């Protein structure tokens, strides 16, 4: 290593180099030294002091020389006296013997490294996935929202022929106690005349009870109960008519009123959700 | 040979210059890990804070119960909340270690980086204060009342200023909503200031424990310090997770589990641990305005360090007497922290006052001792 302060191609002719190359016995300090005893056959080319030519003349051994304008000259043995510590406590057993060929133990060593890296990567990906999942799931429905996800309704409170509206999951829920006449009328409707063909028996688990979401399938308004040309529901926003099975019969709505998940766990009790 | 993409691409070369090919001193110790750890803390606080903000309601009637809702109902809400609260504590641990490193090793001689650093410290302190008000517990409310009332000490405009900050005649809903707004905003200003802080550091390169020019012995940031920083991340994350999962409310105040009551003041109002030393200094001065000035100066005094450093060597590595004084300063801060948690009674009052004098004396005696030591050895 050479640190040569003041080295400059512009000022090189003016600078007097007082650096001394000092050998430390390890290797030749100046490579390619000229043999002064050899006869000169041709005129020597004038010495061009360029950075490249001066770099070739620089000692390559472990020595530091300093020279330049206003700088004191000095020679230092940079890093020549530092003992390299013994790292054998950290080295793998396979490579401690300097005479052994590294290639012979290479497959074992690389297998170990790959297993470690592979295992670490799998663990890292698993952990990262867990962290991301936790953050993402924190945005999902919280426990209080899920607690209101089910609704219990006492059916005896709903008189025959009436439709009652409940709030369920933030939306209106229509529960209609149908009359026998409504049941038979809806059961006799021709499927071919329906925009969204669905038989009445498919839509109502119990024929006397219609359970539908009170959200118009056109653009989401709440239809009015006991209105419209079919005795069911009428949406005032854009004029959709639904029958007493909640099926679209007239108007712009494309689909029948949505039927949520519900059950009758016991007589007189309806659970939706 | 074509230049690698990390050096030629307009975006990548910025990252390359910061974390890959950046020449770093070979001898920087673990104390140099706290910079990157602070970056990690900021990221943790922003991410957890963002997700908390999705469920929090900044209204006096709903704030307390919205925090309870987060902890009880929101999926992993308990983890978000406790990580955020304990993350703030770790933020301050790293801040104080990072600042202490700067004081010991003379890093403050990088004037621009040091000044921006003090600004970041003040911003983070403000952010933490604002955030502590949001749960709207007793300590939240009364801490906000006490600290905002400090501004009334300013002559002439004090009372009007405080009512303007409150948005009313006392800490109330208007105060809470604007505190939430600023608590959300400030971390992004901190992030911008951090980028400027790093920009200045990269003009000069890092300091090192010897305090001498390290150009003769630099190593590339990657892989040495990328892996060293990752090791630091693992250690800090482990500590944070241990605290959060095993004893999440260890550093908190039980009074904050009581909803805010403007008509009843708790017997012992105190801020979180990271503000206690400044709180002790504030209470040590019997005069109201004097106490406020002392509080502000306890942080701003860091800015005079670059101008009072008259020593031959940069770091305290070669000044044993000043090392003793430095560790005395650390002990003084610990003792002030203890005093800040004590009631305003004997013998704590006098002890706090003595420690306050000792704290400010350090910044005068330290440079004088440095000069004396250099003269003595000459």
């Amino acid at each position: 290593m050479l640190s040569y302060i003041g080295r400059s191609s512009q000022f090189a002719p003016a600078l007097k180099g007082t650096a001394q190359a000092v050998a430390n016995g390890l290797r030749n300090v100046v490579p390619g030294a000229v043999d002064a005893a050899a006869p000169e056959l041709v005129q020597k080319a004038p010495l061009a002091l360029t950075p490249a030519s001066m770099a070739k003349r620089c000692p390559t051994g472990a020595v530091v020389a300093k020279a330049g304008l206003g700088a004191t000259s000095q020679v230092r043995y940079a890093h020549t006296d530092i003992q390299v510590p013994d790292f054998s406590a950290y080295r793998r057993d396979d490579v401690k013997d300097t005479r052994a060929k590294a290639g012979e133990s290479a497959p074992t060593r690389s297998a170990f490294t790959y297993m470690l890296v592979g295992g670490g990567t799998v663990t890292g990906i698993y952990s990262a996935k867990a962290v991301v999942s936790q953050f993402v799931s924190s945005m999902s429905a919280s426990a209080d929202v899920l607690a209101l996800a089910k609704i219990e309704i006492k059916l005896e409170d709903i008189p025959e022929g009436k439709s009652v509206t409940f709030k369920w999951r933030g939306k209106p829920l229509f529960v209609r106690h149908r009359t026998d006449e409504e049941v038979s009328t809806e059961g006799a409707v021709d499927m071919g005349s329906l925009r969204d063909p669905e038989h009445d028996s498919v839509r109502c688990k119990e024929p006397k009870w219609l359970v539908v979401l009170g959200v118009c399938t056109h653009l989401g308004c709440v239809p009015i109960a006991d209105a419209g040309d079919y005795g069911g529901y009428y949406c005032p926003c854009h004029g959709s008519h639904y029958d007493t099975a909640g099926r679209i019969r007239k108007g712009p709505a494309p689909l029948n009123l949505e039927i949520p998940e519900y059950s009758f766990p016991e007589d007189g009790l309806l659970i939706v959700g | 040979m074509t230049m690698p993409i990390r050096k030629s691409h307009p975006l990548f070369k910025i990252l390359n210059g910061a974390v890959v090919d950046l020449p770093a001193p070979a001898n920087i110790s673990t104390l140099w890990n706290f910079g990157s750890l602070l970056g990690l803390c900021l990221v943790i606080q922003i991410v957890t804070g963002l997700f908390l903000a999705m469920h929090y309601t900044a209204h006096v009637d709903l704030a307390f119960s919205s925090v309870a809702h987060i902890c009880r109902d929101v999926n992993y809400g308990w983890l978000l909340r406790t990580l955020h609260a304990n993350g703030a504590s770790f933020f301050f641990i790293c801040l104080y270690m990072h600042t202490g490193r700067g004081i010991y090793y003379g890093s403050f001689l990088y004037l621009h980086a040091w000044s921006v650093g003090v600004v970041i410290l003040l911003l983070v302190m403000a952010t933490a204060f604002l955030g502590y008000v949001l749960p709207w517990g007793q300590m939240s409310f009364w801490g906000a009342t006490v600290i905002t009332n400090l501004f009334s000490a300013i002559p002439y405009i004090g009372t009007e200023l405080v009512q303007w900050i409150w948005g009313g005649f006392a800490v109330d809903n208007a105060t809470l909503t604007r505190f939430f707004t600023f608590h959300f905003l400030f971390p992004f200003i901190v992030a911008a200031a951090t980028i400027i802080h790093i920009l200045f550091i990269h003009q000069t390169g890092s300091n090192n424990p010897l305090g001498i020019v390290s150009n003769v012995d630099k190593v590339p940031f990657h892989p040495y310090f990328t892996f060293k920083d990752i090791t630091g991340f693992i250690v800090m994350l482990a500590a944070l997770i241990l605290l959060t999962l095993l004893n999440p409310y260890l550093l908190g105040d039980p009074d904050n589990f009581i909803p805010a009551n403007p008509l009843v003041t708790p017997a012992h109002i105190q801020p979180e641990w990271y503000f206690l030393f400044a709180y002790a200094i504030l209470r040590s001065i019997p005069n109201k305005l004097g106490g406020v000035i002392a509080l502000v100066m306890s942080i701003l005094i860091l800015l005079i360090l670059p101008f009072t450093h008259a020593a031959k060597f940069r770091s305290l590595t070669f000044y044993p007497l000043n090392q003793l004084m430095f560790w005395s300063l650390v002990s003084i801060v610990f003792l002030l922290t203890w005093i800040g948690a004590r009631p305003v009674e004997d013998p704590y009052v006098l002890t706090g006052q003595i420690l306050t004098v000792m704290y400010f004396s350090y910044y005068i005696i330290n440079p004088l001792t440095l000069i004396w030591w250099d003269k003595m050895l000459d």
Side-chain angles (χ1 to χ4, degrees):
Chain A
M1 282 274 286
L2 180 79
S3 176
Y4 202 104
I5 296 168
R7 188 172 99 185
S8 161
S9 56
Q10 289 170 300
F11 298 113
L15 282 172
K16 230 181 166 70
T18 55
Q20 252 189 323
V22 182
N24 59 9
L26 288 174
R27 61 178 89 98
N28 282 339
V29 171
V30 179
V34 174
D35 184 1
E40 284 186 30
L41 299 172
V42 297
Q43 196 180 16
K44 253 192 196 167
L47 186 66
L49 291 174
T50 63
S53 67
M54 285 168 74
K56 283 182 200 153
R57 296 180 136 256
C58 287
T60 54
V63 68
V64 173
K66 190 161 79 95
L69 293 168
T72 52
S73 305
Q74 56 177 264
V75 173
R76 284 199 265 161
Y77 297 95
H79 296 173
T80 57
D81 54 346
I82 293 172
Q83 301 294 321
V84 176
D86 178 27
F87 291 116
S88 52
Y90 296 93
R91 302 186 71 188
R92 299 191 202 202
D93 292 334
D94 286 335
V95 295
K96 275 184 183 165
D97 183 2
T98 51
R99 290 164 302 180
K101 281 196 179 148
E104 282 167 17
S105 61
T108 334
R109 285 186 284 121
S110 36
F112 173 78
T113 303
Y114 290 149
M115 252 178 45
L116 213 61
V117 170
T121 308
V122 167
T123 311
I125 292 172
Y126 184 76
S127 309
K129 182 239 166 202
V131 168
V132 171
S133 302
Q134 283 168 7
F135 278 103
V136 167
S137 72
S138 77
M139 294 172 69
S140 302
S142 52
D144 58 329
V145 169
L146 293 173
L148 294 173
K150 265 188 180 181
I151 187 172
E152 266 186 27
I153 298 165
K154 282 204 183 94
L155 296 173
E156 66 209 24
D157 296 335
I158 306 174
E160 198 178 79
K162 282 281 178 237
S163 179
V164 180
T165 307
F166 299 92
K167 189 176 173 189
W168 176 72
R169 294 186 181 179
K171 295 180 215 171
L173 178 78
F174 295 155
V175 179
R176 188 185 189 90
H177 189 170
R178 302 201 297 178
T179 59
D180 292 330
E181 193 188 330
E182 286 168 349
V183 173
S184 55
T185 307
E186 298 308 335
V189 168
D190 171 32
M191 292 294 107
S193 67
L194 294 171
R195 183 176 301 156
D196 183 11
E198 261 189 314
H199 198 270
D200 185 63
S201 56
V202 168
R203 290 181 61 78
C204 300
K205 284 183 185 173
E206 293 278 328
K208 296 284 282 183
W209 295 100
L210 173 72
V211 181
V212 289
L213 275 181
V215 178
C216 182
T217 58
H218 180 226
L219 289 172
C221 294
V222 180
I224 301 165
D226 300 316
D229 297 345
Y230 296 85
Y233 302 91
Y234 171 72
C235 181
C237 288
H238 306 99
S240 294
H241 298 251
Y242 299 87
D243 60 19
T244 52
R247 296 176 294 198
I248 181 66
R249 302 297 290 270
K250 195 158 89 173
L255 300 170
N256 302 332
L257 292 176
E258 188 185 333
I259 300 199
E261 194 190 315
Y262 68 93
S263 62
F264 298 95
E266 54 189 68
D267 272 345
L269 187 67
L270 165 68
I271 291 184
V272 183
Chain B
M1 189 180 182
T2 53
M3 205 186 277
I5 195 171
R6 73 175 196 278
K7 291 191 187 184
S8 56
H9 189 277
L11 183 61
F12 293 160
K13 69 184 182 189
I14 298 171
L15 290 168
N16 179 62
V19 293
V20 182
D21 285 338
L22 174 74
N27 61 328
I28 50 177
S29 66
T30 306
L31 289 168
W32 267 255
N33 274 55
F34 288 99
S36 58
L37 284 174
L38 282 164
L40 177 67
C41 284
L42 184 63
V43 167
I44 291 172
Q45 292 303 95
I46 287 177
V47 171
T48 51
L50 218 62
F51 280 87
L52 282 170
M54 292 179 192
H55 303 278
Y56 172 76
T57 305
H59 189 281
V60 291
D61 297 330
L62 297 167
F64 188 87
S65 48
S66 74
V67 174
H69 159 72
I70 287 168
C71 290
R72 292 167 184 269
D73 294 333
V74 173
N75 298 311
Y76 295 105
W78 58 271
L79 185 61
L80 288 172
R81 196 268 173 109
T82 47
L83 270 176
H84 197 71
N86 288 303
S89 285
F90 274 79
F91 208 134
F92 278 94
I93 291 172
C94 293
L95 269 171
Y96 294 145
M97 294 293 286
H98 190 68
T99 309
R101 184 283 314 266
I103 297 173
Y104 189 96
Y105 290 106
S107 305
F108 48 74
L109 290 179
Y110 291 149
L111 183 61
H112 298 103
W114 183 254
S115 311
V116 175
V118 173
V119 168
I120 294 173
L121 175 62
L122 290 166
L123 276 171
V124 173
M125 287 177 145
T127 309
F129 162 70
L130 294 168
Y132 193 66
V133 178
L134 303 183
W136 209 242
Q138 273 287 66
M139 220 35 94
S140 306
F141 179 89
W142 290 103
T145 302
V146 166
I147 299 301
T148 48
N149 263 319
L150 291 176
F151 289 95
S152 65
I154 298 169
Y156 301 110
I157 60 165
T159 312
E160 245 185 78
L161 178 68
V162 172
Q163 288 182 358
W164 176 74
I165 292 172
W166 285 338
F169 300 106
V171 171
D172 208 333
N173 195 57
T175 323
L176 179 61
T177 49
R178 63 193 57 187
F179 275 23
F180 178 54
T181 306
F182 287 121
H183 183 69
F184 200 111
L185 173 68
F186 276 17
F188 299 103
I189 300 176
V190 168
T194 302
I195 290 170
I196 296 170
H197 184 69
I198 293 170
L199 199 94
F200 280 126
I201 285 286
H202 287 183
Q203 297 299 304
T204 53
S206 292
N207 189 16
N208 70 89
L210 291 173
I212 56 174
V213 172
S214 56
N215 292 336
V216 295
D217 192 14
K218 288 259 164 85
V219 294
F221 194 87
H222 177 70
Y224 299 103
F225 296 109
T226 43
F227 280 99
K228 189 171 186 183
D229 280 351
I230 288 170
T231 311
F233 291 173
I234 291 169
V235 170
M236 198 199 81
L237 283 171
L240 176 62
I241 288 168
L242 270 171
L243 182 66
T244 302
L245 297 182
L246 294 179
N247 202 342
Y249 299 109
L250 177 73
L251 301 173
D253 195 309
D255 270 332
N256 228 27
F257 282 90
I258 302 168
N261 186 349
L263 303 177
V264 174
T265 306
H268 300 290
I269 300 180
Q270 65 183 56
E272 288 288 269
W273 69 267
Y274 36 81
F275 288 146
L276 286 173
F277 79 96
Y279 193 55
I281 290 171
L282 167 77
R283 295 192 308 187
S284 292
I285 315 289
N287 177 269
K288 186 177 178 184
L289 182 61
V292 172
I293 292 171
L295 171 77
V296 171
M297 283 313 297
S298 68
I299 304 296
L300 289 185
I301 201 162
L302 293 169
L303 290 170
I304 72 162
L305 281 170
F307 304 101
T308 57
H309 187 81
K312 270 191 190 163
F313 294 103
R314 183 172 191 168
S315 85
L316 299 185
T317 311
F318 307 107
Y319 294 95
L321 209 57
N322 293 83
Q323 287 179 14
L324 192 68
M325 289 173 59
F326 173 83
W327 292 113
S328 302
L329 178 73
V330 172
S331 309
I332 289 164
V333 173
F334 271 107
L335 288 167
L336 279 168
T337 301
W338 164 63
I339 289 288
R342 298 290 102 225
V344 186
E345 292 162 3
D346 284 328
Y348 305 120
V349 175
L350 184 62
T351 312
Q353 287 169 338
I354 292 169
L355 287 168
T356 301
V357 171
M358 287 170 76
Y359 173 83
F360 285 105
S361 301
Y362 169 85
Y363 296 94
I364 301 163
I365 296 174
N366 185 61
L368 293 173
T369 313
L370 287 167
I371 295 166
W372 174 78
W373 189 265
D374 281 335
K375 271 209 179 105
M376 204 186 60
L377 290 184
D378 258 344

